[in-house]
Amino acid sequence: MRWLALGWCDFTRAPLIGLFYGTAFMVMGWTLAAAYRNAPAYVLALSAGFLLVGPFLALGLYQASYRLERGEKPALMDSAMIWRNRLSTMGVFGVVLLVLEMLWARASLVVFALSFDGMPDFQ
């Protein structure tokens, strides 16, 4: 439970950042749920993509944590724009994740097509 207490302490020190990222990830979850209702075949690809792109999106949380460890007050704009300082490495990382996501999207559709005879009824 120590990690939970430390996480709460960090949240109270920077609540705006925690709420911003929490809301962003919640909206992504809702989007995934909406995709499941409207296009179930794409859910495998999207959920894997969420896991692949997650580290890239969490870069701002890493920056906020770094500032808190140093005893500084993190700022939302600093957290959201941290990728600017590492544009070349983040660009390479983003391209690698994008390629992996596109490969997985195609592979998951093939697995889906081979696993089911036609479109299954998800009701």
Side-chain angles (χ1 to χ4, degrees):
M1 297 307 275
R2 179 174 161 20
W3 63 270
L4 193 57
L6 290 172
W8 181 254
C9 181
D10 285 351
F11 178 76
T12 58
R13 290 171 59 196
L16 182 62
I17 293 173
L19 291 172
F20 172 76
Y21 284 101
T23 302
F25 285 109
M26 179 184 65
V27 168
M28 285 184 233
W30 285 347
T31 303
L32 192 59
Y36 178 75
R37 281 192 299 275
N38 298 322
Y42 291 106
V43 171
L44 289 173
L46 290 174
S47 60
F50 183 74
L51 295 174
L52 287 172
V53 179
F56 183 73
L57 297 175
L59 188 62
L61 289 173
Y62 303 149
Q63 176 67 8
S65 177
Y66 174 74
R67 295 275 186 226
L68 287 171
E69 270 189 41
R70 294 182 63 191
E72 302 171 4
K73 179 153 178 64
L76 180 58
M77 287 308 291
D78 177 49
S79 172
M81 297 298 174
I82 189 59
W83 57 270
R84 284 184 170 177
N85 298 342
R86 295 160 182 84
L87 193 56
S88 61
T89 54
M90 286 290 89
V92 170
F93 185 55
V95 168
V96 168
L97 289 177
L98 179 64
V99 168
L100 288 173
E101 165 58 17
M102 290 188 319
L103 289 172
W104 174 248
R106 290 295 161 202
S108 68
L109 286 176
V110 169
V111 168
F112 190 90
L114 294 174
S115 298
F116 299 103
D117 186 30
M119 205 47 139
D121 183 18
F122 287 99
Q123 302 301 335

